[in-house]
Amino acid sequence: MELSIITLTNIPAFHRFFLLTIVILTALSNNVNGRHKIQHTWETVEYSAINCRTHSAYLTDFGGIGDGTTLNTNAFRTAVDHLSQFQSDGGSLLYVPAGKWLTGSFNLTSHFTLYLDKDAVLLASQDENDYPVIAPLPSYGRGRDAEGGRFISLIFGTNLTDVVITGENGTIDGQGHQWWDKFHKGELKFTRPYLIEIMHSDNIQISSLTLVNSPSWNVHPIYSSNIIIQGITILAPVRSPNTDGINPDSCINTRIEDCYIVSGDDCIAVKSGWDEYGVAFGMPTKQLAIRRITCISPTSATIALGSEMSGGIQDVRAEDIVAINTESAVRIKTAVGRGGYVKDIYVRGMTMKTMKYVFWMTGDYGSHPDNNYDPNALPVIENINYRDMVAENVTIGGKLAGISGDPFTGICISNVTIEMAPKAKKLFWNCTDISGISSGVVPQPCDLLPDQKTEYVSPCNFPTE
């Protein structure tokens, strides 16, 4: 059975969407007041996507059984393999209907959409044999959990163009408890799989999904460009290990927006390689926009820059962010031996409730892949801007620690009001090896961020382009 796909709006620019309608079997389309009206006795589904597709199929056409116990890895792999023949003929869509679809890892293809019905649940297999071991990332030099290789992600793709992973808020369940137990017991021989990883690819959309209980990181675009991550709900126990939400890694031109994340680690972690491996690979993350994110993570950051940032991080713009019961707001993590840079960071419009830190910068994070890093590779941290922020029930206003002989410079904080917790630290601001300015910040920051008086200085920068 095929699906008919009807384009409602055709806007060619990458950062705009087509509005698509999927209609079971066939449909009649009438133009009413400039919009198409679809009538059918079955169902219609509208969704936004960067491209429409000419060909489509159901997972059940390839033997898929959604009973929660039958393994569907071969069904997914066969379906993608079959639909890959349409890459140059309008692309293809694989529709995953309602049901519980147990599966191991499978790869995607170019000019392809994976679409999950609102009642579809992908259940990740807990059997290590369902995840082939692949080489370490070249910008990391080793796995994150263990030296050597790593288990491939549940949904994986490399060297792709024009890929959409979306749905009606369908669910991908990583069933991570078994992986977390192995991690805590030191039983892992390879790094845990992620839920979604896309490598060396261009024009990627991941949207309108719920991701739960990932074995490790949830969404990991790496060495890629032109990425939209939108309308994602990510849920994991707040004590689960390394369940980062979204980790753009050595990526260019990425937009993350309208996401809700509860995590055992950083809600969003911006990365670009680890020590000498990241320096040699030399691919930064830049041109990253983060908007309208809600984060809960009692032991980690709302947005972390690093600690693996050896390829550089530049031009990050974050606004309209809500952090609740989260360890820190925007944290910069680096160390001697990292090299690279974090610069041109712009944050505005954050609302925070129950925080350990509002501002946190760390120059001694450590955590090296091996002992071969260059001790003279010092990171450059400069032009960091925070403005228009409100926080309540805060233990420490700021802990800003640069590196001796390598200070963090150009820090600007303006129009920030912090309400101290009843048991706040007596030293509410702690600053070393940094320089910058402040204006309109309550309580007043440390002496290394002198108050410029709001009547004499403009707010910290936030580019309008």
Side-chain angles (χ1 to χ4, degrees):
M1 180 182 295
E2 284 205 352
L3 312 180
S4 173
I5 300 180
I6 297 150
T7 302
L8 300 185
T9 307
N10 189 339
I11 305 173
F14 167 74
H15 274 172
R16 300 174 184 174
F17 288 142
F18 294 111
L19 183 61
L20 307 179
T21 295
I22 300 176
V23 184
I24 305 300
L25 294 178
T26 58
L28 297 176
S29 175
N30 299 309
N31 192 293
V32 179
N33 297 325
R35 288 183 60 86
H36 289 276
K37 182 179 181 181
I38 309 298
Q39 295 179 324
H40 199 279
T41 57
W42 287 33
E43 69 173 308
T44 65
V45 177
E46 290 188 353
Y47 71 103
S48 297
I50 55 176
N51 270 317
C52 58
R53 311 300 182 195
T54 302
H55 303 272
S56 50
Y58 275 95
L59 181 62
T60 49
D61 297 339
F62 303 90
I65 299 174
D67 60 5
T69 58
T70 301
L71 190 65
N72 290 281
T73 309
N74 287 337
F76 277 103
R77 292 176 180 176
T78 302
V80 174
D81 182 65
H82 170 78
L83 293 172
S84 66
Q85 67 182 302
F86 303 116
Q87 290 184 37
S88 60
D89 185 27
S92 59
L93 177 147
L94 178 62
Y95 190 99
V96 181
K100 294 184 177 180
W101 308 90
L102 181 67
T103 181
S105 174
F106 61 93
N107 293 3
L108 305 181
T109 188
S110 292
H111 306 291
F112 176 80
T113 296
L114 177 67
Y115 187 94
L116 272 61
D117 181 271
K118 61 183 176 64
D119 295 316
V121 180
L122 295 193
L123 291 174
S125 170
Q126 294 178 305
D127 187 344
E128 291 185 2
N129 295 319
D130 291 326
Y131 301 86
V133 175
I134 58 176
L137 293 164
S139 60
Y140 283 71
R142 53 159 287 169
R144 294 294 286 113
D145 293 335
E147 293 183 6
R150 59 205 187 98
F151 293 109
I152 197 170
S153 297
L154 178 68
I155 299 173
F156 181 78
T158 187
N159 296 301
L160 302 180
T161 300
D162 178 19
V163 172
V164 177
I165 306 170
T166 190
E168 301 172 80
N169 205 32
T171 299
I172 302 175
D173 185 347
Q175 302 200 101
H177 295 84
Q178 179 174 299
W179 296 96
W180 305 334
D181 289 344
K182 290 180 179 179
F183 173 80
H184 286 305
K185 294 176 181 178
E187 295 177 353
L188 290 169
K189 296 180 180 179
F190 305 103
T191 295
R192 287 164 285 166
Y194 308 145
L195 284 189
I196 301 173
E197 182 175 67
I198 306 294
M199 298 176 58
H200 300 293
S201 297
D202 182 63
N203 282 13
I204 306 299
Q205 174 190 336
I206 303 170
S207 64
S208 304
L209 297 169
T210 296
L211 311 182
V212 300
N213 296 328
S214 176
S216 185
W217 301 353
N218 281 265
V219 180
H220 185 222
I222 183 166
Y223 317 142
S224 296
S225 59
N226 299 323
I227 303 157
I228 296 171
I229 302 172
Q230 183 184 64
I232 299 293
T233 298
I234 295 175
L235 304 174
V238 295
R239 299 296 176 182
S240 55
N242 311 118
T243 51
D244 298 37
I246 302 167
N247 289 8
D249 198 340
S250 293
C251 288
I252 298 174
N253 193 24
T254 302
R255 193 175 82 202
I256 303 171
E257 60 188 15
D258 302 309
C259 295
Y260 178 84
I261 304 171
V262 181
S263 172
D265 211 315
D266 301 320
C267 289
I268 296 174
V270 185
K271 300 177 180 292
S272 66
W274 202 3
D275 285 9
E276 70 269 26
Y277 304 103
V279 171
F281 197 79
M283 186 172 182
T285 288
K286 59 183 181 180
Q287 298 165 4
L288 168 62
I290 303 170
R291 297 193 289 245
R292 299 182 300 277
I293 304 297
T294 297
C295 168
I296 299 174
S297 182
T299 61
S300 293
T302 306
I303 301 171
L305 305 172
S307 72
E308 305 91 346
M309 40 63 68
S310 301
I313 297 172
Q314 184 174 16
D315 191 7
V316 177
R317 308 178 191 192
E319 58 184 326
D320 300 329
I321 310 295
V322 176
I324 303 169
N325 190 21
T326 300
E327 185 177 47
S328 58
V330 179
R331 184 181 181 191
I332 297 176
K333 302 189 289 186
T334 188
V336 171
R338 284 289 192 274
Y341 52 84
V342 177
K343 58 185 179 182
D344 306 335
I345 308 300
Y346 309 98
V347 181
R348 70 177 177 186
M350 284 197 73
T351 300
M352 295 160 279
K353 300 183 179 182
T354 307
M355 308 287 290
K356 183 175 182 180
Y357 303 95
V358 174
F359 304 102
W360 195 7
M361 301 180 185
T362 309
D364 60 350
Y365 193 78
S367 182
H368 301 289
D370 52 41
N371 294 322
N372 297 321
Y373 64 90
D374 180 1
N376 296 314
L378 300 178
V380 175
I381 313 297
E382 63 182 12
N383 191 23
I384 313 297
N385 300 268
Y386 305 103
R387 58 180 281 188
D388 308 335
M389 301 168 67
V390 177
E392 63 182 51
N393 197 27
V394 173
T395 304
I396 301 172
K399 183 178 181 181
L400 311 178
I403 297 171
S404 179
D406 181 36
F408 300 172
T409 63
I411 299 168
C412 181
I413 304 175
S414 68
N415 189 27
V416 175
T417 300
I418 303 172
E419 178 186 294
M420 301 167 64
K423 295 183 178 180
K425 295 291 185 181
K426 292 183 179 179
L427 185 61
F428 199 64
W429 291 87
N430 187 355
C431 306
T432 57
D433 298 302
I434 66 157
S435 65
I437 60 173
S438 66
S439 63
V441 179
V442 179
Q444 185 171 329
C446 50
D447 293 341
L448 295 179
L449 297 173
D451 187 353
Q452 303 297 293
K453 307 299 181 184
T454 54
E455 61 266 31
Y456 300 119
V457 66
S458 299
C460 301
N461 192 22
F462 194 100
T464 57
E465 292 184 359

